[in-house]
């Protein structure tokens, strides 16, 4: 039996509305399980929808997805019950923000950059090039930003959900 969580809208300064973790979507979970393959059992994910509901940001954590520089962030467009990748950011840290800045008709993403040799952490704007989001926030076209307006979609304190549910215990 599947249980669906409610979507909670949170009012942000300037009238922007961000959604918390979306309801469990069987299509998204199937996409992630296929993508994770053998790593599904050790994968956790945190998902958020953009305010228009058209794009899902999925922050993957676990040994297969994280290194000293951060973890993997997938950017997926929803098309009915299917998902299409429009970006995969290799070394991101939460919080993950949707910035007001736009590139080629899409809002840039703000991710934290730290570790992996970077001593002083910072936030980077990850732009869209017309086809995909940049894959690495530590090199151009991504750029370091300070206090850019935007809204948080994935908080740093979210633990994430297991991708593969734990078996029921007697």
């Amino acid at each position: 039996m599947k249980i669906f969580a409610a979507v909670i809208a949170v009012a942000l300064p300037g009238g922007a509305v961000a959604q918390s973790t979306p309801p469990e979507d069987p299509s998204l979970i199937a996409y992630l399980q296929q993508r994770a393959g053998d790593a599904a059992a050790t994968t956790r994910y945190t998902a958020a929808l953009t305010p228009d509901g058209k794009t899902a940001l999925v922050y993957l954590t676990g040994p297969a997805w994280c290194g000293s520089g951060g973890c993997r962030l997938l950017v997926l467009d929803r098309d009915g019950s299917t998902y299409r990748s429009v970006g995969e950011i290799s070394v991101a840290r939460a919080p993950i923000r949707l910035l007001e800045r736009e590139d080629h008709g899409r809002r840039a993403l703000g991710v934290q950059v730290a570790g992996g040799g970077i001593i002083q952490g910072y936030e980077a704007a990850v732009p869209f090039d017309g086809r995909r989001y940049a894959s690495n926030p530590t090199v151009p076209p991504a750029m370091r930003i300070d206090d850019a307006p935007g809204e948080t979609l994935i908080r740093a304190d979210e633990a994430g959900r297991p991708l593969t549910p734990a078996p029921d215990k007697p």
Side-chain angles (χ1 to χ4, degrees):
M1 176 171 157
K2 295 206 182 280
I3 299 173
F4 291 89
V7 173
I8 301 170
V10 179
L12 298 171
V17 176
Q19 295 180 346
S20 71
T21 303
E24 290 201 22
D25 176 349
S27 297
L28 177 61
I29 292 168
Y31 177 93
L32 296 174
Q33 286 174 336
Q34 179 181 15
R35 176 77 172 79
D38 292 341
T42 59
T43 298
R44 295 184 73 80
Y45 74 99
T46 304
L49 294 175
T50 55
D52 64 8
K54 295 179 181 178
T55 302
L57 303 179
V58 182
Y59 188 57
L60 298 173
T61 58
W65 310 108
C66 300
S68 62
C71 299
R72 190 79 42 101
L73 176 66
L74 305 180
V75 186
L76 307 171
D77 276 353
R78 291 172 35 145
D79 184 15
S81 64
T82 62
Y83 288 86
R84 178 179 62 86
S85 175
V86 291
E88 188 169 315
I89 301 168
S90 59
V91 287
R93 291 179 184 262
I96 310 298
R97 297 190 323 124
L98 186 63
L99 303 177
E100 287 185 13
R101 169 188 162 179
E102 283 194 22
D103 299 292
H104 300 280
R106 286 188 183 247
R107 291 170 65 181
L109 301 175
V111 301
Q112 295 297 308
V113 175
I118 296 173
I119 299 187
Q120 186 77 328
Y122 60 91
E123 184 177 25
V126 179
F128 183 74
D129 71 5
R131 290 182 335 121
R132 301 190 61 72
Y133 280 90
S135 63
N136 187 334
T138 66
V139 298
M143 67 176 66
R144 184 182 198 136
I145 56 173
D146 293 308
D147 299 322
E151 56 206 86
T152 300
L153 295 185
I154 297 176
R155 297 182 328 266
D157 63 352
E158 293 183 71
R161 298 175 178 164
L163 185 54
T164 304
D168 292 335
K169 296 181 181 169

